[in-house]
Amino acid sequence: MKSLVSSMALGVALLATQAHAQGNAPAADAAGVADWVKKAEAEMLASSQITSRASWIYATNITYDTASLTADANATSTAMLVAQAKQAADYANVSGLAPDVARKLVMMRTRITGPAPSTPGATKEFASLQAGMQGVYGKGMGTLKGQPINGSDIEEAMGTNRNPDELKEMWLSWHDNVGTPMKADYARMIAIGNAGAQELGFADMGALWRSNYDMQPEEFAALTEKIWNEVKPLYNQIHCYTRMKLNEKYGDAVQAKTGPIRADLLGNMWAQEWGNIYPLVAPAGAGDIGYDVGELLTAKAYDPVKMVKAGEGFYSSLGMAPLPQTFWERSQLVKPRDRDVVCHASAWNLNNVDDLRIKMCIKVNGDDFVTIHHELGHNYYQRAYNKQDALYLGGANDGFHEAIGDFVALSITPEYLVQIGLLDRTKVPSESKDTGLLLRQAMDKIAFLPFGLLIDRYRWDVFSGKIAPADYQKGWDAMRLKYQGVVPPAARPADGFDAGAKYHVPANVPYTRYFLARVLQFQFYEAACKQAGWKGPLHRCSFYGNKEVGAKLNAMLEMGASKPWPDALEAFTGSREMSGKAMIRYFAPLTKWLASQTKGQSCGW
């Protein structure tokens, strides 16, 4: 999955300061609180570049020294953020606060994803543990046919290999080599973080995370559950159909006709998106969409730079300014040969103005073409809101930031590919291929939904103590079975820690944002297509080149986090409700087709 890094967006990962505003706290009256908030925001902006650069250097050159530098910067950051949050909690009770000041005080308490308590040495220990685990992940290796294979290459191999024994080897070796070694450090990091959250007035880190959505934490949990129940029936159909096809491919000994699906067979290390196995599930005729984006890119001699230029071209077609020259000079587009790096795709704005960058290890394939459009969505969002106050330098909620690039990527339709010269118009699939187009999308978009939900559901239980360290593996397996209906390719050891083999867990990055983004992107896409006057099937819509859509979109982006997310949602879509209904409408033709294909099957697990 993809992530962003803005120098204000991830709190503990990207902020540092050398002097604390809270050390000169004003008198506790409304005017004094407003003045204190203003000074605190100035400190954030003044110091954030130092920490952002330390984080960038570490992510693009993993060494002992760069790990130490980023750990030190993040420790200082955590101390500042926690001190400000504690002061903000005190000031929240001051009478007569302006609404904007009161909202900023809430944001200062809830933006810290990994707080540390005031215990001497706790902030540095937390940061060191986190940096160390990210290093384990970045340097992580699996094996294929007994030979070492790095993280970037093993991800690609999992998407193309169809040998169940080799898939099993890669899956088990990655989880054993990456997840298990960090289990003790992860448990210690959570203990520190929970103590920090409690000092801020939250039961644990999970309660803190759920409080960052302009609503009560229990309301947010209920909202995500409501959305999941709206889309769950469609996921169940995708699961049932995919299991049937995998059984036909591999036989009962590898994949049974009933029950859960073996996780390593789904074309992705984490079974989070299943699009890589589309050729296995695509039925003859209706399932063949007639082209492969990766093959089109190769045929047109696209390299990583040309792929990013194409992504930039989409946003330019909407009327947005080109990326700055420094983007091309400073981004990491391919994996360096001479050092370890974090290949996990991310987007950065190192100075909160226009030092925009992406960090990727791009390969010429369809997945990375989509990822590029996604990551650039972060960059254009970051630049659009760069005039907002420091605390508002972010998405309306974290799901918005992920959804912008995703809804643009939905417009990578045959029509778009024709418009940019990748696909000949004579080769555009006919309407008879619509089932294939929708199924290919659903294998990623719908298949991801339960994974997007369970990563945080699992961690909420870990943070609360419902899942104890001794049960980390058992709890993870149970959560994946409950929501995804998948199981490991072999029994896992009781002392394992498979959750740690997913980047966002050791990085301590909340994950519900990606679930929200999957929903929001369809709301944004449907709204953009309506604004563009699209008349055909929704899934074939491309708003490429429509500057009216671009202007309305940019107006929402410029808001940043300055207003509650329902205001931003309404500004672009006309609705104040996050809902899975637009997604259901998008896939309605596929839903009917899947029901006919799985008739008589014992769906569920």
Side-chain angles (χ1 to χ4, degrees):
M1 184 48 52
K2 306 90 182 174
S3 69
L4 77 153
V5 180
S6 162
S7 55
M8 301 302 298
L10 294 185
V12 70
L14 298 174
L15 291 175
T17 189
Q18 300 190 12
H20 295 167
Q22 68 280 357
N24 298 305
D29 58 51
V33 173
D35 182 64
W36 176 81
V37 169
K38 185 176 181 180
K39 290 178 180 178
E41 289 188 286
E43 278 193 331
M44 294 177 187
L45 287 174
S47 63
S48 63
Q49 289 189 46
I50 297 171
T51 311
S52 295
R53 296 192 195 289
S55 298
W56 174 266
I57 291 169
Y58 172 65
T60 57
N61 186 15
I62 302 172
T63 69
Y64 172 84
D65 292 320
T66 59
S68 297
L69 288 172
T70 194
D72 289 344
N74 288 339
T76 304
S77 163
T78 301
M80 178 200 74
L81 289 170
V82 171
Q84 287 187 343
K86 291 176 182 175
Q87 188 65 70
D90 291 340
Y91 285 156
N93 297 318
V94 172
S95 61
L97 295 174
D100 188 60
V101 172
R103 185 164 179 263
K104 286 182 175 180
L105 292 175
V106 173
M107 295 176 76
M108 292 174 79
R109 290 180 65 213
T110 59
R111 67 181 293 119
I112 309 170
T113 61
S118 54
T119 307
T123 55
K124 187 170 184 178
E125 183 182 5
F126 186 100
S128 295
L129 289 166
Q130 187 173 8
M133 287 187 292
Q134 287 185 268
V136 170
Y137 186 95
K139 296 178 182 180
M141 303 286 285
T143 65
L144 174 58
K145 299 179 182 178
Q147 298 301 310
I149 179 171
N150 67 43
S152 176
D153 290 341
I154 203 171
E155 282 191 49
E156 183 178 40
M158 288 291 292
T160 57
N161 195 304
R162 298 293 178 259
N163 183 310
D165 292 332
E166 293 175 4
L167 290 169
K168 180 179 179 180
E169 177 194 359
M170 287 188 286
W171 195 101
L172 293 174
S173 62
W174 175 259
H175 287 82
D176 288 343
N177 295 343
V178 176
T180 302
M182 67 175 71
K183 179 181 177 181
D185 284 350
Y186 185 78
R188 176 59 184 158
M189 184 181 76
I190 298 311
I192 296 171
N194 276 342
Q198 288 160 7
E199 284 194 6
L200 295 179
F202 300 97
D204 52 55
M205 284 203 295
L208 186 155
W209 289 6
R210 295 190 299 275
S211 299
N212 197 28
Y213 291 91
D214 287 305
M215 57 174 55
Q216 294 300 311
E218 60 273 15
E219 292 178 322
F220 177 69
L223 174 61
T224 56
E225 190 68 23
K226 177 189 78 73
I227 295 170
W228 168 239
N229 285 328
E230 287 175 343
V231 298
K232 183 179 178 181
L234 179 52
Y235 175 78
N236 287 348
Q237 285 290 336
I238 290 289
H239 181 281
C240 190
Y241 175 78
T242 301
R243 183 185 60 198
M244 179 180 70
K245 289 297 181 178
L246 290 174
N247 174 259
E248 292 174 5
K249 166 68 176 178
Y250 294 112
D252 294 346
V254 174
Q255 176 57 59
K257 290 185 177 70
T258 61
I261 297 174
R262 209 176 97 172
D264 59 321
L265 303 179
L266 290 164
N268 176 275
M269 181 62 76
W270 306 278
Q272 67 184 60
E273 292 174 324
W274 306 350
N276 285 327
I277 64 163
Y278 176 77
L280 297 185
V281 304
D288 179 12
I289 64 175
Y291 66 88
D292 176 87
V293 173
E295 293 175 0
L296 295 176
L297 293 168
T298 300
K300 295 290 185 178
Y302 271 65
D303 58 18
V305 172
K306 191 173 181 180
M307 290 168 69
V308 179
K309 287 286 188 181
E312 178 190 37
F314 191 105
Y315 294 89
S316 295
S317 83
L318 300 180
M320 298 180 183
L323 293 165
Q325 180 59 33
T326 53
F327 172 91
W328 303 102
E329 296 168 352
R330 300 169 183 171
S331 291
Q332 175 189 291
L333 302 184
V334 297
K335 189 179 190 301
R337 296 181 179 180
D338 61 343
R339 61 188 186 271
D340 291 316
V341 300
V342 177
C343 277
H344 182 86
S346 55
W348 304 58
N349 184 359
L350 273 75
N351 66 358
N352 294 302
V353 182
D354 59 1
D355 191 354
L356 305 171
R357 310 179 191 183
I358 61 172
K359 176 184 59 59
M360 291 183 65
C361 299
I362 297 172
K363 297 181 184 295
V364 181
N365 59 42
D367 281 352
D368 280 3
F369 193 62
V370 170
T371 298
I372 287 164
H373 285 72
H374 170 97
E375 296 302 337
L376 292 182
H378 290 309
N379 282 151
Y380 283 93
Y381 205 168
Q382 289 162 344
R383 185 170 63 181
Y385 58 58
N386 65 12
K387 294 180 175 61
Q388 292 289 349
D389 293 347
L391 282 165
Y392 295 156
L393 294 173
N397 66 38
D398 52 12
F400 273 65
H401 231 304
E402 297 300 329
I404 297 305
D406 277 350
F407 105 88
V408 167
L410 281 175
S411 202
I412 301 178
T413 60
E415 178 62 24
Y416 168 59
L417 297 176
V418 169
Q419 289 172 306
I420 64 173
L422 266 179
L423 181 67
D424 293 334
R425 186 166 292 281
T426 58
K427 296 182 180 179
V428 171
S430 67
E431 290 186 8
S432 66
K433 307 296 186 183
D434 279 5
T435 296
L437 290 167
L438 287 169
L439 181 59
R440 177 62 182 83
Q441 283 276 47
M443 293 294 287
D444 281 343
K445 301 296 185 180
I446 302 302
F448 174 80
L449 291 170
F451 186 82
L453 198 66
L454 73 86
I455 295 290
D456 280 355
R457 287 288 197 277
Y458 169 78
R459 287 189 288 182
W460 294 349
D461 285 352
V462 168
F463 297 158
S464 71
K466 185 176 180 180
I467 297 177
D471 296 323
Y472 277 179
Q473 185 62 44
K474 179 181 177 182
W476 175 252
D477 290 339
M479 193 74 72
R480 296 200 73 186
L481 179 62
K482 174 183 176 181
Y483 282 100
Q484 283 187 289
V486 303
V487 291
R492 304 300 292 138
D495 62 349
F497 184 43
D498 286 356
K502 175 62 182 172
Y503 171 81
H504 298 74
V505 174
N508 206 45
V509 176
Y511 207 80
T512 304
R513 65 183 62 176
Y514 301 108
F515 174 78
L516 298 179
R518 278 298 194 272
V519 173
L520 285 166
Q521 66 186 263
F522 286 93
Q523 289 188 261
F524 292 156
Y525 181 72
E526 185 178 58
C529 291
K530 287 180 178 178
Q531 293 163 23
W534 181 261
K535 300 300 183 183
L538 183 58
H539 61 275
R540 284 180 173 257
C541 164
S542 174
F543 50 90
Y544 175 82
N546 193 297
K547 290 180 170 53
E548 291 182 11
V549 171
K552 194 164 185 179
L553 172 62
N554 204 57
M556 179 182 73
L557 301 184
E558 288 176 346
M559 295 169 67
S562 65
K563 301 292 183 183
W565 63 261
D567 293 351
L569 182 63
E570 186 176 29
F572 187 62
T573 70
S575 172
R576 298 178 62 82
E577 178 188 9
M578 278 194 290
S579 168
K581 293 176 182 177
M583 176 182 277
I584 296 301
R585 286 191 287 270
Y586 181 97
F587 287 107
L590 179 66
T591 303
K592 183 177 180 180
W593 181 84
L594 286 171
S596 69
Q597 296 298 305
T598 59
K599 186 176 182 180
Q601 292 288 315
S602 178
C603 295
W605 54 86

